[in-house]
């Protein structure tokens, strides 16, 4: 599963059966984010509390996807223009660094508007969040899997400083397993909105809503028992945010070498945007299909039909053939992602 695919950590969403929906049309590069009015969805009868509640959620999800798509297309348009400028300058003997710097600054300004322009549906790694709840991931020096699951037992007390959340104690050290550690951290940090998880390499990282990131970064602290962390007064933790998909503030254009490196970074960014766009388009197709279904039947009837279809497929003599359809979708799901999901409180 690519890093820019539909994120799995979002809160539970209304079920949307994959299939018949057609992909969302591509927006023109540089266009303003689309709005629900630009792509009308089927009329939904306002009958029944649950029916209207789920259809409203689906429409909100469609809006989030449209905003994300508009942002991605606009940013891709700017990067394509910058790519042309960089390529053209590299063919000349003299680089116009001022002109290239203006193009880089335009990209940086667009990137800085990511959260607002996408409505919180794209995080800093260009992962699409259908629930529009983009999160900031980070690591903490001293809080590594090996350090917390091995050695003498110790009680760590976390202080997030978030309103309504008090100190949270977690016992670490042998014989704690990775899964037990994630579960314990998840329970302790849940009131502060911080979630522990394992990245694709099995390293411990944390995430928090992007809107709460600055506060957590300033106030997150910990008191140890004198083994891994000092006892006594809580110590402020050094949080390291994960690298963003784009870092235009670091792009150089002063000479041919810097311009060539910047061109490579622009090309990689365009590849990432293409993957994000594909994920957003798939999500839009599934949401539109779910909206169409809900306009024709109640949630209960649809859910019953889905369960019956699923059971019928996997409880027949040739049900093993169905597994061949499911397995490819799971090949990209690492052990670490499964452990992270199971540890959610």
């Amino acid at each position: 599963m690519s890093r820019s695919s539909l994120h799995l950590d979002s809160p539970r969403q209304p079920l949307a059966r994959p299939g018949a929906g057609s992909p969302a049309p591509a927006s023109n590069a540089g266009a303003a984010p689309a709005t629900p009015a630009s792509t009308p969805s089927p009329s939904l009868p306002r009958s029944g509390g649950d029916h209207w509640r789920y259809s409203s959620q689906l429409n909100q999800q469609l809006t989030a996807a449209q905003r994300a798509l508009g942002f991605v297309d606009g940013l891709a348009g700017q990067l394509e223009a910058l790519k042309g400028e960089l390529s053209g300058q590299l063919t000349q003997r003299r680089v116009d660094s001022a002109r290239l710097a203006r193009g880089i600054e335009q990209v940086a300004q667009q990137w800085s508007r990511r959260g607002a322009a996408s409505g919180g549906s794209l995080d800093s790694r260009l992962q699409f969040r259908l629930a529009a709840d983009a999160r900031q991931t980070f690591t903490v020096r001293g809080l590594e899997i090996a350090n917390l699951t091995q050695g003498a037992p110790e009680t760590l007390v976390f202080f997030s400083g978030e309103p309504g959340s008090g100190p949270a104690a977690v016992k670490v050290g042998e014989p704690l397993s990775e899964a037990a550690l994630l579960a314990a951290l998840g329970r302790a940090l849940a009131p502060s909105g911080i979630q522990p998880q394992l990245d694709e390499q099995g390293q411990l990282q944390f995430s928090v809503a992007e809107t709460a990131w600055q506060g957590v970064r300033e106030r997150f602290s910990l008191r140890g028992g004198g083994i891994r962390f000092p006892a006594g007064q809580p110590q402020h933790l050094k949080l390291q945010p994960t690298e963003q998909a784009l870092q235009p503030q670091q792009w150089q254009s002063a000479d041919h070498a810097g311009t060539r490196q910047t061109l490579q970074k622009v090309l990689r960014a365009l590849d990432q945007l293409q993957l994000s766009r594909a994920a957003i388009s798939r999500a839009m197709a599934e949401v539109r299909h779910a909206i169409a279904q809900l306009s024709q039947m109640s949630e209960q009837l649809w859910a019953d039909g889905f369960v019956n279809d699923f059971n019928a497929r996997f409880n027949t003599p040739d049900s093993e053939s169905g597994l061949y359809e499911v397995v490819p979708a799971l090949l990209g799901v690492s052990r670490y992602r499964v452990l992270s999901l199971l540890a959610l409180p």
Side-chain angles (χ1 to χ4, degrees), residues 60-81:
Q60 291 170 3
Q61 292 169 357
L62 182 58
T63 300
Q66 288 170 329
R67 294 184 67 175
L69 188 64
F71 174 80
V72 164
D73 285 343
L75 182 58
Q78 288 188 325
L79 286 171
E80 287 287 356

mmCIF file of all heavy atoms in Angstrom, residues 60-81:
data_model
loop_
_atom_site.group_PDB
_atom_site.id
_atom_site.type_symbol
_atom_site.label_atom_id
_atom_site.label_comp_id
_atom_site.label_asym_id
_atom_site.label_seq_id
_atom_site.Cartn_x
_atom_site.Cartn_y
_atom_site.Cartn_z
ATOM 1 N N GLN A 60 -20.490 14.737 3.089
ATOM 2 C CA GLN A 60 -19.338 15.423 3.680
ATOM 3 C C GLN A 60 -18.039 14.791 3.202
ATOM 4 O O GLN A 60 -17.049 15.484 2.930
ATOM 5 C CB GLN A 60 -19.434 15.373 5.207
ATOM 6 C CG GLN A 60 -20.559 16.227 5.784
ATOM 7 C CD GLN A 60 -20.775 15.979 7.266
ATOM 8 O OE1 GLN A 60 -20.049 15.196 7.891
ATOM 9 N NE2 GLN A 60 -21.774 16.629 7.842
ATOM 10 N N GLN A 61 -18.029 13.470 3.097
ATOM 11 C CA GLN A 61 -16.842 12.786 2.608
ATOM 12 C C GLN A 61 -16.570 13.146 1.150
ATOM 13 O O GLN A 61 -15.414 13.344 0.749
ATOM 14 C CB GLN A 61 -17.012 11.278 2.765
ATOM 15 C CG GLN A 61 -17.037 10.829 4.221
ATOM 16 C CD GLN A 61 -17.465 9.380 4.373
ATOM 17 O OE1 GLN A 61 -17.794 8.714 3.392
ATOM 18 N NE2 GLN A 61 -17.473 8.889 5.604
ATOM 19 N N LEU A 62 -17.624 13.234 0.352
ATOM 20 C CA LEU A 62 -17.456 13.616 -1.043
ATOM 21 C C LEU A 62 -16.897 15.033 -1.150
ATOM 22 O O LEU A 62 -16.029 15.319 -1.968
ATOM 23 C CB LEU A 62 -18.795 13.502 -1.776
ATOM 24 C CG LEU A 62 -18.771 13.826 -3.274
ATOM 25 C CD1 LEU A 62 -17.792 12.918 -4.010
ATOM 26 C CD2 LEU A 62 -20.167 13.709 -3.869
ATOM 27 N N THR A 63 -17.394 15.928 -0.300
ATOM 28 C CA THR A 63 -16.880 17.295 -0.296
ATOM 29 C C THR A 63 -15.404 17.323 0.063
ATOM 30 O O THR A 63 -14.605 18.041 -0.556
ATOM 31 C CB THR A 63 -17.678 18.158 0.696
ATOM 32 O OG1 THR A 63 -19.057 18.186 0.312
ATOM 33 C CG2 THR A 63 -17.142 19.581 0.734
ATOM 34 N N ALA A 64 -15.010 16.540 1.080
ATOM 35 C CA ALA A 64 -13.601 16.480 1.477
ATOM 36 C C ALA A 64 -12.739 15.990 0.322
ATOM 37 O O ALA A 64 -11.650 16.526 0.069
ATOM 38 C CB ALA A 64 -13.442 15.570 2.696
ATOM 39 N N ALA A 65 -13.209 14.974 -0.377
ATOM 40 C CA ALA A 65 -12.441 14.439 -1.502
ATOM 41 C C ALA A 65 -12.322 15.459 -2.623
ATOM 42 O O ALA A 65 -11.268 15.590 -3.256
ATOM 43 C CB ALA A 65 -13.095 13.158 -2.009
ATOM 44 N N GLN A 66 -13.395 16.198 -2.890
ATOM 45 C CA GLN A 66 -13.360 17.212 -3.943
ATOM 46 C C GLN A 66 -12.375 18.328 -3.606
ATOM 47 O O GLN A 66 -11.639 18.807 -4.477
ATOM 48 C CB GLN A 66 -14.768 17.770 -4.158
ATOM 49 C CG GLN A 66 -15.702 16.779 -4.841
ATOM 50 C CD GLN A 66 -17.144 17.249 -4.833
ATOM 51 O OE1 GLN A 66 -17.578 17.946 -3.917
ATOM 52 N NE2 GLN A 66 -17.887 16.882 -5.862
ATOM 53 N N ARG A 67 -12.357 18.739 -2.358
ATOM 54 C CA ARG A 67 -11.423 19.784 -1.950
ATOM 55 C C ARG A 67 -9.981 19.297 -2.060
ATOM 56 O O ARG A 67 -9.089 20.028 -2.502
ATOM 57 C CB ARG A 67 -11.721 20.243 -0.528
ATOM 58 C CG ARG A 67 -13.059 20.941 -0.377
ATOM 59 C CD ARG A 67 -13.275 21.470 1.026
ATOM 60 N NE ARG A 67 -12.343 22.558 1.347
ATOM 61 C CZ ARG A 67 -12.398 23.246 2.479
ATOM 62 N NH1 ARG A 67 -13.318 22.961 3.392
ATOM 63 N NH2 ARG A 67 -11.527 24.226 2.707
ATOM 64 N N ALA A 68 -9.749 18.054 -1.643
ATOM 65 C CA ALA A 68 -8.405 17.487 -1.754
ATOM 66 C C ALA A 68 -7.981 17.394 -3.211
ATOM 67 O O ALA A 68 -6.839 17.713 -3.566
ATOM 68 C CB ALA A 68 -8.370 16.112 -1.099
ATOM 69 N N LEU A 69 -8.906 16.981 -4.078
ATOM 70 C CA LEU A 69 -8.590 16.860 -5.496
ATOM 71 C C LEU A 69 -8.265 18.227 -6.102
ATOM 72 O O LEU A 69 -7.324 18.362 -6.899
ATOM 73 C CB LEU A 69 -9.770 16.225 -6.233
ATOM 74 C CG LEU A 69 -9.520 15.852 -7.697
ATOM 75 C CD1 LEU A 69 -8.460 14.773 -7.800
ATOM 76 C CD2 LEU A 69 -10.816 15.392 -8.359
ATOM 77 N N GLY A 70 -9.026 19.248 -5.711
ATOM 78 C CA GLY A 70 -8.749 20.577 -6.218
ATOM 79 C C GLY A 70 -7.368 21.069 -5.803
ATOM 80 O O GLY A 70 -6.642 21.670 -6.590
ATOM 81 N N PHE A 71 -7.007 20.804 -4.554
ATOM 82 C CA PHE A 71 -5.689 21.221 -4.075
ATOM 83 C C PHE A 71 -4.587 20.472 -4.813
ATOM 84 O O PHE A 71 -3.590 21.074 -5.233
ATOM 85 C CB PHE A 71 -5.565 20.985 -2.576
ATOM 86 C CG PHE A 71 -4.184 21.252 -2.041
ATOM 87 C CD1 PHE A 71 -3.769 22.549 -1.781
ATOM 88 C CD2 PHE A 71 -3.285 20.209 -1.827
ATOM 89 C CE1 PHE A 71 -2.484 22.808 -1.304
ATOM 90 C CE2 PHE A 71 -1.998 20.460 -1.358
ATOM 91 C CZ PHE A 71 -1.602 21.770 -1.099
ATOM 92 N N VAL A 72 -4.738 19.164 -4.951
ATOM 93 C CA VAL A 72 -3.722 18.355 -5.615
ATOM 94 C C VAL A 72 -3.529 18.818 -7.057
ATOM 95 O O VAL A 72 -2.390 18.965 -7.535
ATOM 96 C CB VAL A 72 -4.104 16.866 -5.560
ATOM 97 C CG1 VAL A 72 -3.293 16.046 -6.558
ATOM 98 C CG2 VAL A 72 -3.897 16.317 -4.156
ATOM 99 N N ASP A 73 -4.617 19.071 -7.776
ATOM 100 C CA ASP A 73 -4.495 19.503 -9.162
ATOM 101 C C ASP A 73 -3.861 20.885 -9.270
ATOM 102 O O ASP A 73 -3.062 21.145 -10.173
ATOM 103 C CB ASP A 73 -5.873 19.491 -9.828
ATOM 104 C CG ASP A 73 -6.348 18.082 -10.163
ATOM 105 O OD1 ASP A 73 -5.508 17.165 -10.179
ATOM 106 O OD2 ASP A 73 -7.550 17.900 -10.406
ATOM 107 N N GLY A 74 -4.221 21.784 -8.349
ATOM 108 C CA GLY A 74 -3.628 23.104 -8.378
ATOM 109 C C GLY A 74 -2.130 23.055 -8.114
ATOM 110 O O GLY A 74 -1.341 23.718 -8.792
ATOM 111 N N LEU A 75 -1.731 22.269 -7.123
ATOM 112 C CA LEU A 75 -0.322 22.148 -6.795
ATOM 113 C C LEU A 75 0.443 21.461 -7.930
ATOM 114 O O LEU A 75 1.569 21.859 -8.268
ATOM 115 C CB LEU A 75 -0.161 21.359 -5.497
ATOM 116 C CG LEU A 75 1.265 21.177 -4.975
ATOM 117 C CD1 LEU A 75 1.940 22.526 -4.730
ATOM 118 C CD2 LEU A 75 1.255 20.355 -3.686
ATOM 119 N N ALA A 76 -0.168 20.455 -8.536
ATOM 120 C CA ALA A 76 0.479 19.770 -9.654
ATOM 121 C C ALA A 76 0.707 20.732 -10.817
ATOM 122 O O ALA A 76 1.754 20.677 -11.480
ATOM 123 C CB ALA A 76 -0.358 18.583 -10.102
ATOM 124 N N GLY A 77 -0.248 21.624 -11.061
ATOM 125 C CA GLY A 77 -0.087 22.595 -12.130
ATOM 126 C C GLY A 77 1.100 23.514 -11.878
ATOM 127 O O GLY A 77 1.883 23.809 -12.796
ATOM 128 N N GLN A 78 1.245 23.960 -10.631
ATOM 129 C CA GLN A 78 2.380 24.824 -10.306
ATOM 130 C C GLN A 78 3.709 24.079 -10.428
ATOM 131 O O GLN A 78 4.704 24.633 -10.892
ATOM 132 C CB GLN A 78 2.219 25.378 -8.892
ATOM 133 C CG GLN A 78 1.131 26.440 -8.772
ATOM 134 C CD GLN A 78 1.138 27.106 -7.410
ATOM 135 O OE1 GLN A 78 1.418 26.468 -6.405
ATOM 136 N NE2 GLN A 78 0.827 28.391 -7.382
ATOM 137 N N LEU A 79 3.715 22.824 -9.998
ATOM 138 C CA LEU A 79 4.949 22.040 -10.096
ATOM 139 C C LEU A 79 5.321 21.747 -11.551
ATOM 140 O O LEU A 79 6.503 21.718 -11.907
ATOM 141 C CB LEU A 79 4.795 20.733 -9.319
ATOM 142 C CG LEU A 79 4.840 20.860 -7.794
ATOM 143 C CD1 LEU A 79 4.456 19.544 -7.130
ATOM 144 C CD2 LEU A 79 6.225 21.291 -7.311
ATOM 145 N N GLU A 80 4.322 21.524 -12.398
ATOM 146 C CA GLU A 80 4.602 21.313 -13.817
ATOM 147 C C GLU A 80 5.226 22.560 -14.428
ATOM 148 O O GLU A 80 6.172 22.469 -15.231
ATOM 149 C CB GLU A 80 3.311 20.942 -14.560
ATOM 150 C CG GLU A 80 2.798 19.535 -14.302
ATOM 151 C CD GLU A 80 3.653 18.473 -14.992
ATOM 152 O OE1 GLU A 80 4.596 18.825 -15.721
ATOM 153 O OE2 GLU A 80 3.365 17.280 -14.785
ATOM 154 N N ALA A 81 4.693 23.731 -14.057
ATOM 155 C CA ALA A 81 5.260 24.977 -14.565
ATOM 156 C C ALA A 81 6.704 25.155 -14.073
ATOM 157 O O ALA A 81 7.596 25.550 -14.839
ATOM 158 C CB ALA A 81 4.402 26.158 -14.135
#
